[in-house]
C-alpha cells in the first residue's frame, strides 16, 4: 500500500471512488510501487466503502457532483495533478444529464489546471455506424464528453471500460432461466471455430433438451466481448497511463481482461458452474420484448438492443483493438473470474 500524504507524490483525484471503476483505479494505484496521494469523492462519507478508503489514506471529500453544485465542483480538484472522471449513467438513465455532468467535470479539471484528465468514455456508436445505430445514448453521451474533453486543451486520455464480467452476477437479465424441457438451437456463422461449434452444437442441438439457462443475445455466437474483471483489471490500465514516461494525450485505451466470443462465455460458465448454460442468438425484436418484459423502459431497451447490434456489427470498441501490453500484472481470465463466484446463488 503506497498511498501517501507526502506532497512530493502526485495527487490523483478519483471520481466514483466508492464504485466499481473508481475503486479499481484506487486499488491499482495503491498497489503500485510508486507513491500517490489520492483524493476520492462520495456523497456519503459515512458509508462503509468511504470509511475504508479514508482509513487506507485516501482523502475523502463529501460532494454531490451535480450541476446544482457547479461552484463547489469547480473547486473539487484544486491541487490535483491528475483526475480520473466517470459518470454513472445507470443511476439516472438520462443521456443529457450524463453529458452535462461529464462536461462539468472536465471544466472543473481545467479550472484546477491539472496535468491530465483520464476519462472513462465509450465508442461513438452513432458516428461509427454512420447513423445506423443512433439510439445507443449511454455510449454516445460518453463519446460526446470525450470530444468536449479533447477540445478543452487539457491533456486527455480516454480509458474505455470493457463489458464488466460482473454483469453476469447483477440484476440485469443476461442469463435467463428457461422452463425445463425448452428446446433451443444456436445458429452458427461459417467463420465460427469448428471445434467450438461441435461442442456447442452437441449441447444445444434442436433434438437435445437443453435447459435451464440461456444467454439470449441479438448477436452472433462468434461476437467477441472485451470482458473485464473490473475490480482487478480496469485500474491497471489507468495506472499504466499515469506511469508512462509521457502522459499519452489524445490516446484511447480499450480495456479487457480477456477477449472472448459469447458462445465461449457460456461454455466456460457451464464448466465452472456445473450448470448447463447455452448461448442463443435471438432477433433484435425478441431482445426488445425480453427487456421490456423485464421492466426496462422502452428508450433504455432501445439503447441496449442497438448497443448489442452495434457491438455485433462494429465491435464493442467500434473496431479499435484491445491491448494488455505494459500492464503491471497479468489480467484475469474469465474462467478465473467465474471460479470466484458462487453460481448456486446466481443461477437459482
Ligand atoms: N456495466 C458495464 O459493463 C459497463 C461498461 C462500460 C461502462 N460502464 C459505465 O460505467 C458507469 C458506472 O460506473 P461504475 O460501474 O463504477 O458505477 P458504480 O459502481 O455504481 O459507482 C458509481 C460511483 O459514482 C459515484 N457517484 C454517482 N453519482 C454521484 C454524484 N452525483 N456525486 C458524487 N459521486 C457520485 C458514486 O459515489 P457515492 O454513491 O459514494 O456518492 C460511486 O462511487 C456507467 O456510466 C456505465 O455506463 C458500464
Amino acid at each position: 500500500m503506497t498511498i501517501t500524504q507526502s506532497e512530493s507524490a502526485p495527487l490523483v483525484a478519483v471520481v466514483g471512488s466508492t464504485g466499481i471503476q473508481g475503486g479499481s483505479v484506487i486499488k491499482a494505484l495503491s498497489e503500485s510501487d510508486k507513491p500517490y496521494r489520492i483524493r476520492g469523492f462520495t456523497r456519503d462519507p459515512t458509508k462503509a466503502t468511504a470509511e475504508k478508503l479514508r482509513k487506507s489514506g485516501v482523502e475523502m471529500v463529501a460532494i454531490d457532483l451535480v450541476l446544482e453544485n457547479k461552484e463547489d465542483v469547480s473547486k473539487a480538484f484544486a491541487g490535483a495533478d491528475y483526475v480520473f472522471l466517470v459518470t454513472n449513467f445507470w443511476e439516472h438513465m438520462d443521456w443529457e444529464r450524463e453529458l452535462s455532468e461529464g462536461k462539468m467535470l472536465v471544466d472543473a479539471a481545467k479550472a484546477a489546471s491539472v496535468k491530465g484528465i483520464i476519462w472513462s468514455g465509450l465508442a461513438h456508436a452513432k458516428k461509427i455506424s454512420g447513423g445506423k445505430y443512433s439510439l445507443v445514448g449511454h455510449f454516445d453521451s460518453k463519446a460526446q464528453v470525450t470530444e468536449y474533453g479533447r477540445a478543452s486543451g487539457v491533456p486527455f486520455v480516454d480509458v474505455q471500460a470493457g463489458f464488466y464480467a460482473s454483469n453476469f452476477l447483477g440484476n440485469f437479465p443476461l442469463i435467463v432461466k428457461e422452463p425445463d424441457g425448452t428446446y433451443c438451437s444456436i445458429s452458427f456463422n461459417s467463420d465460427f471455430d469448428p471445434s467450438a461449434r461441435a461442442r456447442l452444437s452437441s449441447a444445444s442441438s434442436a433434438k437435445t433438451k437443453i435447459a435451464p439457462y440461456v444467454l439470449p443475445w441479438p448477436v452472433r455466437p462468434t461476437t467477441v466481448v472485451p470482458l473485464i474483471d473490473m475490480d482487478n483489471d480496469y485500474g491497471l490500465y489507468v495506472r499504466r497511463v499515469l506511469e508512462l514516461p509521457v502522459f499519452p494525450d489524445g490516446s484511447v485505451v480499450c480495456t479487457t481482461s480477456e477477449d472472448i466470443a459469447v458462445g465461449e462465455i457460456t461454455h466456460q460458465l457451464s464448466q465452472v458452474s456445473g450448470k448447463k448454460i447455452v448461448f442463443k442468438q435471438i432477433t433484435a425484436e425478441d431482445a426488445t420484448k425480453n427487456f421490456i418484459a423485464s421492466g426496462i423502459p422502452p428508450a433504455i431497451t432501445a439503447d441496449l438492443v442497438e448497443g448489442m447490434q452495434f457491438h455485433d456489427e462494429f465491435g464493442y470498441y467500434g473496431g479499435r483493438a484491445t491491448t494488455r501490453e505494459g500492464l503491471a500484472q497479468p489480467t484475469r481470465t474469465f474462467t478465473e473470474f467465474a471460479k470466484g463466484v458462487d453460481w448456486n446463488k446466481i443461477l437459482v
Side-chain angles (χ1 to χ4, degrees), residues 15-22 41-44 47 63-66 86-91 97-98 101 120-122 138 142 161-164 167 316:
V15 171
S17 61
T18 58
I20 294 173
Q21 295 199 18
F41 304 95
T42 178
R43 288 160 292 186
D44 178 6
K47 72 203 269 189
I63 188 166
D64 191 2
L65 297 164
V66 289
V86 60
T87 41
N88 189 6
F89 174 78
W90 295 111
E91 193 171 308
R97 178 171 165 186
E98 174 159 68
E101 289 184 356
S120 178
L122 282 173
H138 80 288
K142 290 180 180 66
F163 187 87
Y164 297 7
N167 286 342
Y316 179 90

Side-chain angles (χ1 to χ4, degrees), residues 59-100:
E59 173 198 359
M60 290 304 289
V61 173
I63 188 166
D64 191 2
L65 297 164
V66 289
L67 289 182
E68 291 73 20
N69 290 336
K70 207 171 173 175
E71 288 215 354
D72 288 341
V73 178
S74 76
K75 297 175 203 146
F77 302 141
D81 293 283
Y82 297 95
V83 290
F84 171 76
L85 307 181
V86 60
T87 41
N88 189 6
F89 174 78
W90 295 111
E91 193 171 308
H92 47 71
M93 296 192 281
D94 177 339
W95 306 279
E96 287 304 319
R97 178 171 165 186
E98 174 159 68
L99 175 57
S100 54

Side-chain angles (χ1 to χ4, degrees), residues 80-84 109 113-118 154-157 242 247:
D81 293 283
Y82 297 95
V83 290
F84 171 76
S113 304
V114 300
K115 295 177 194 153
I117 295 174
I118 299 176
V154 182
F156 189 95
V157 175
L242 287 171
F247 189 76

